[in-house]
Amino acid sequence: NSDVDDGCKPIDNRSCNYVKDFDATIISPYFNEKFSIGAGAIITNCEDLYKWYTCLRDQKLLSEKVYARFFSVNQSNYCYGLEHHHIYGTDKYSHGGDHLGISTYMQSFFEEDICIVILSNNEAINQYRLGNGISDILHQVEVAAPTKHKELPIDESQLQKYCGTYLKDKIVIEFLNG
């Protein structure tokens, strides 16, 4: 079910990506993924990511030497494509990302045989917070319910302070019609 989306071929069961456009949710504008391998061009589903998880968990596909190298962690808690942290008394390997309407996150707790996969075709979620919340619940850690922050009114004179050009022809903030 995994493929490289080079923008030239139809892909069965591929979903559309969605982004926020002010208050509306719209289909993400077209972007040629041909040169974005690793940052959006590789597409997959939960079934294939679970196969990847079992490949890493069971360590039967590659040599022992290759797995040892793959799981060797550098000083930034990173190994080959995975972030490593020791949490809940066990090892957690994870990686995520977002790109043009897609949000992803995967956590693996190999010793406990726990695999959490989040694939969203809407970038309006916080996949890291969601994934960490799920792993907290699975490890009996109390999780606070999400809260909507109270809107704080701000007067026009305060808003005017932020108006201006921050990046020529790219980021311009204006105060229009209140």
Side-chain angles (χ1 to χ4, degrees):
N1 300 303
S2 299
D3 205 338
V4 175
D5 183 2
D6 64 4
C8 297
K9 64 184 178 233
I11 299 174
D12 290 341
N13 300 316
R14 188 187 190 288
S15 63
C16 292
N17 308 342
Y18 294 93
V19 295
K20 290 299 267 182
D21 184 24
F22 298 99
D23 290 337
T25 298
I26 62 169
I27 292 176
S28 180
Y30 173 76
F31 178 80
N32 186 338
E33 299 287 1
K34 192 173 272 191
F35 303 106
S36 296
I37 293 177
I42 297 174
I43 61 167
T44 193
N45 64 11
C46 290
E47 182 181 0
D48 280 5
L49 285 174
Y50 185 73
K51 288 177 185 177
W52 172 242
Y53 162 80
T54 59
C55 172
L56 295 178
R57 179 197 65 199
D58 299 343
Q59 298 188 11
K60 293 181 181 174
L61 183 65
L62 307 170
S63 71
E64 189 176 311
K65 183 179 177 182
V66 171
Y67 281 110
R69 183 171 180 181
F70 183 87
F71 285 110
S72 63
V73 179
N74 67 21
Q75 292 179 352
S76 299
N77 292 324
Y78 205 74
C79 44
Y80 282 85
L82 297 174
E83 212 175 298
H84 172 264
H85 292 284
H86 193 77
I87 186 170
Y88 318 114
T90 190
D91 293 308
K92 173 180 95 170
Y93 294 89
S94 62
H95 198 285
D98 38 65
H99 180 67
L100 299 172
I102 298 170
S103 299
T104 66
Y105 189 50
M106 183 171 175
Q107 290 184 20
S108 302
F109 296 89
F110 299 116
E111 294 170 10
E112 300 172 276
D113 195 17
I114 294 174
C115 174
I116 300 168
V117 176
I118 297 170
L119 298 178
S120 175
N121 64 336
N122 188 324
E123 67 182 15
I125 71 164
N126 183 335
Q127 70 274 28
Y128 301 100
R129 184 173 178 197
L130 178 59
N132 291 332
I134 292 169
S135 60
D136 281 347
I137 290 168
L138 291 173
H139 291 93
Q140 288 78 45
V141 173
E142 190 67 32
V143 176
T147 58
K148 184 172 182 175
H149 296 285
K150 183 179 158 188
E151 189 173 315
L152 300 173
I154 186 168
D155 66 41
E156 184 176 335
S157 66
Q158 289 176 301
L159 287 172
Q160 291 288 352
K161 293 177 189 176
Y162 298 100
C163 293
T165 301
Y166 289 82
L167 187 58
K168 189 176 190 279
D169 299 324
K170 299 265 185 198
I171 302 173
V172 177
I173 297 178
E174 298 175 315
F175 184 84
L176 302 170
N177 303 321

